[in-house]
Amino acid sequence: MIRFAIVGTNWITRQFVEAAHETGKMKLTAIYSRTLEQALAFAKDCPADHLFISLEQMAACAEIDAVYIASPNALHCEQALLFMRHNKHVICEKPLASTLQEAEQMIACAAENQVVLFEAFKTACLPGFQVIQQALPQLGRLRKALFNYCQYSSRYPRYLNGEHPNTFDPRWSNGSIMDIGYYCLASALALWGEPQRVQAQAALLASGVDAHGAVLMHYGDFDVTLLHSKVSDSHIPSEIQGEAGSLVIEKLSEVQRITFIPRGGAAQDLTPAQHSNTMRYEAEHFAELVAKRHVEHAGLSLACSTARLLSEIRRQTGVVFPADKAIRST
């Protein structure tokens, strides 16, 4: 049984705790929050043996084997390094880091301390994503793909009212491509690897982060378009087009439905059964990596590629984080 701790007491953390417990391989042991009141409130529904308001004290706790980090993006690197240097395995919410350099530092630290570092990109772990991978040959020669995730943020009205929610604040390494746009980018990279070249555009808010944008990934005679937005809703699915047919994917992040439409033929539903809590699969995969002490796993290469492309997309669109300035000053 993996005794794990959590950093962050939001809804996604609660969902992960439920998923981790459902695997039967993990048990919540400790909760960190900035205030004891928040930790106690979270513990009412998710009991734990230890509550911490000090990350250093939690890192030193011998009764913790692994840590799930769901703090703001800008804190991922510093916190993950702290725990890995105390020989704790880390599953870190996406994106893994603010920059490629941070991601590389985290991966090197995991290798040095022989602990598992895992980016919580749930989509690639889903049964539905495996179906997509297996169905690609049926499409024939690939020509185009459109990966779409546009969702009006519940925090956007707060931003418009003059507040500074994390999701629209560059201090926390956030914005559209670093949030929901990540799913489109990482999914494309998981399927086809890094493109020959990438072109990106975005509309920036006054705060400095991207409100929405588009990315064109070139793979020779095949190209992938990514559409992402935190300030508008979309109701169209994603699609992969080949000369022999196409795959239509509803809600790419969770692969809710997959339809294969052969050219000139009838649509076929390929949707597999999936657990209602889609974080179950990433929790299961993380537990397996820890059990096998599989430190150098394939997910690290994907995380590094994603960090590299995120950094390049932001460079092209003019989104700058404090972490970028720290690199230039060293």
Side-chain angles (χ1 to χ4, degrees):
M1 185 67 67
I2 299 170
R3 303 166 299 177
F4 76 99
I6 58 168
V7 176
T9 52
N10 50 34
W11 67 269
I12 198 168
T13 309
R14 188 181 304 275
Q15 189 173 341
F16 178 80
V17 170
E18 293 172 358
H21 284 167
E22 286 167 357
T23 69
K25 301 174 182 178
M26 302 177 69
K27 181 183 183 299
L28 180 64
T29 299
I31 297 169
Y32 166 82
S33 186
R34 287 173 296 175
T35 68
L36 184 58
E37 290 75 18
Q38 287 179 309
L40 287 167
F42 191 89
K44 287 182 180 179
D45 295 324
C46 301
D49 296 334
H50 305 284
L51 304 180
F52 293 95
I53 57 173
S54 164
L55 287 172
E56 289 74 17
Q57 290 180 8
M58 188 164 83
C61 180
E63 296 179 39
I64 298 171
D65 304 309
V67 182
Y68 170 73
I69 297 176
S71 55
N73 299 339
L75 303 178
H76 287 179
C77 180
E78 177 184 357
Q79 293 177 349
L81 292 176
L82 170 66
F83 291 119
M84 290 189 291
R85 286 165 179 162
H86 282 80
N87 301 114
K88 308 290 192 275
H89 304 287
V90 169
I91 174 170
C92 183
E93 263 307 326
K94 57 81 190 168
L96 185 66
S98 300
T99 67
L100 172 61
Q101 289 75 12
E102 284 189 353
E104 291 174 337
Q105 185 181 9
M106 294 163 72
I107 292 170
C109 184
E112 180 181 351
N113 292 279
Q114 284 298 288
V115 292
V116 172
L117 172 65
F118 183 73
E119 183 176 37
F121 172 40
K122 68 177 182 179
T123 307
C125 300
L126 298 175
F129 197 80
Q130 296 169 25
V131 168
I132 293 172
Q133 292 174 308
Q134 294 164 1
L136 287 180
Q138 300 180 60
L139 305 184
R141 190 173 184 176
L142 296 180
R143 289 304 191 183
K144 289 196 172 295
L146 170 67
F147 284 178
N148 175 52
Y149 195 172
C150 301
Q151 181 175 289
Y152 189 93
S153 172
S154 61
R155 295 177 177 85
Y156 188 48
R158 290 175 50 198
Y159 172 81
L160 294 176
N161 288 333
E163 298 180 42
H164 302 281
N166 290 355
T167 192
F168 295 110
D169 192 334
R171 292 178 302 170
W172 303 112
S173 302
N174 226 316
S176 184
I177 191 64
M178 295 289 285
D179 189 357
I180 58 178
Y182 167 96
Y183 288 103
C184 301
L185 176 64
S187 295
L189 293 172
L191 291 171
W192 301 296
E194 294 192 26
Q196 296 175 8
R197 58 191 176 94
V198 61
Q199 294 172 278
Q201 60 156 358
L204 273 55
L205 297 173
S207 67
V209 304
D210 52 336
H212 66 89
V215 180
L216 184 59
M217 304 170 71
H218 299 273
Y219 293 87
D221 58 1
F222 166 57
D223 59 68
V224 180
T225 300
L226 315 178
L227 301 179
H228 60 94
S229 176
K230 295 280 290 179
V231 296
S232 61
D233 287 323
S234 175
H235 304 284
I236 63 172
S238 297
E239 183 181 42
I240 305 171
Q241 303 173 15
E243 293 185 357
S246 62
L247 281 178
V248 178
I249 308 156
E250 296 182 17
K251 196 168 184 183
L252 178 66
S253 63
E254 299 189 342
V255 194
Q256 289 184 347
R257 185 180 179 88
I258 308 166
T259 305
F260 171 53
I261 307 174
R263 183 170 52 82
Q268 303 170 25
D269 186 358
L270 304 183
T271 312
Q274 286 188 167
H275 196 280
S276 58
N277 185 341
T278 51
M279 298 183 81
R280 164 72 182 271
Y281 301 98
E282 68 179 31
E284 185 81 37
H285 189 46
F286 176 68
E288 290 176 0
L289 291 174
V290 171
K292 297 176 181 178
R293 305 289 296 193
H294 195 177
V295 175
E296 297 181 7
H297 57 91
L300 294 178
S301 177
L302 177 59
C304 209
S305 290
T306 306
R308 180 178 295 107
L309 268 292
L310 284 172
S311 294
E312 173 59 19
I313 289 167
R314 291 193 299 103
R315 186 193 68 79
Q316 291 187 21
T317 57
V319 176
V320 179
F321 297 148
D324 298 305
K325 298 173 184 177
I327 293 170
R328 289 198 293 266
S329 65
T330 58

